[in-house]
Amino acid sequence: IQPIPTTLRGEGAFRFRHLLIRDAAYDAVAKSRRAELHERFADWLERVAGEAVSEEEEIVAYHLERAFAYRRELGPADARSDALGRRAALRLGAAGRRAAARGDQPAAVGLLSRAASVGPDRGAERAWTLYHLGVELQEAGDEPAALTALDEAVRVAESGDDRSLAWRARIARTEVQTEVDPRSIPTATARAE
């Protein structure tokens, strides 16, 4: 390994001289230990980044996501793996919404898709993630996937009694559907939604 410059004040950084050396070292570590190290790194980065953690959010999210994935590979879901998934989903969702705000649809779709895949199956955060994912998929031109995400957003919002979000997702879904086939939704139905 060799030292490299870092943007984190007061912290040292290192890198492997070659990717193959890095990969060999990583592959030699047990998956349970990898999960622990990814989680510890995410915790450390959140701590040292402090209020500027949003600048490092995608990195934090990646490590939480990896920790979650390794824990799920090694055994059934438990409270710790669920907590890692929720943390990763929150970070990925926030990073995805920021990417959308700056007009980067490919990054937004990727981050929001990852958030939906690691987060819990229900709850307000999942419903909002699916809604934003549907909107970004529409912007990216993937209407079938947008319809799927918005349908699930409606279902999750309804199961959580969030009528406002359920209707917002229905309206977005109607907009996507009329883009796909303007004649598929009768005018009266579109006005009702």
Side-chain angles (χ1 to χ4, degrees):
I1 61 172
Q2 59 192 31
I4 59 169
T6 180
T7 58
L8 298 172
R9 283 185 279 185
E11 298 294 332
F14 300 89
R15 74 171 173 204
F16 287 94
R17 290 178 192 246
H18 196 281
L19 293 178
L20 291 175
I21 297 170
R22 181 201 66 190
D23 292 349
Y26 191 75
D27 289 343
V29 176
K31 287 183 179 181
S32 59
R33 182 76 171 137
R34 288 184 212 173
E36 178 189 336
L37 293 172
H38 278 292
E39 182 179 5
R40 285 178 53 194
F41 183 80
D43 293 341
W44 171 82
L45 188 53
E46 285 177 325
R47 190 174 57 255
V48 298
E51 291 182 16
V53 72
S54 64
E55 297 171 18
E56 308 294 337
E57 198 151 41
E58 288 183 45
I59 297 169
V60 171
Y62 168 80
H63 287 283
L64 292 169
E65 185 180 25
R66 296 307 313 145
F68 169 80
Y70 283 127
R71 288 190 57 81
R72 293 299 291 270
E73 281 181 32
L74 294 169
D78 59 12
R80 187 169 176 194
S81 64
D82 290 346
L84 285 168
R86 277 191 302 277
R87 285 178 64 199
L90 287 170
R91 294 285 183 196
L92 289 164
R97 288 187 297 276
R98 270 196 311 285
R102 69 176 180 264
D104 188 351
Q105 266 81 38
V109 167
L111 291 162
L112 292 166
S113 295
R114 289 167 51 201
S117 72
V118 298
D121 291 338
R122 57 188 179 281
E125 184 63 31
R126 178 169 182 78
W128 277 106
T129 297
L130 291 165
Y131 168 76
H132 288 292
L133 175 58
V135 169
E136 293 307 314
L137 285 164
Q138 177 191 13
E139 289 290 321
D142 189 350
E143 286 84 5
L147 292 170
T148 300
L150 291 167
D151 284 341
E152 190 175 349
V154 169
R155 185 187 57 75
V156 173
E158 285 178 340
S159 71
D161 283 336
D162 189 341
R163 293 179 58 214
S164 175
L165 178 55
W167 277 107
R168 180 179 243 176
R170 276 190 195 97
I171 292 167
R173 190 201 187 289
T174 300
E175 183 180 321
V176 175
Q177 185 61 45
T178 56
E179 263 185 31
V180 172
D181 182 7
R183 290 180 230 141
S184 67
I185 298 177
T187 305
T189 303
R191 285 187 181 142
E193 291 189 5

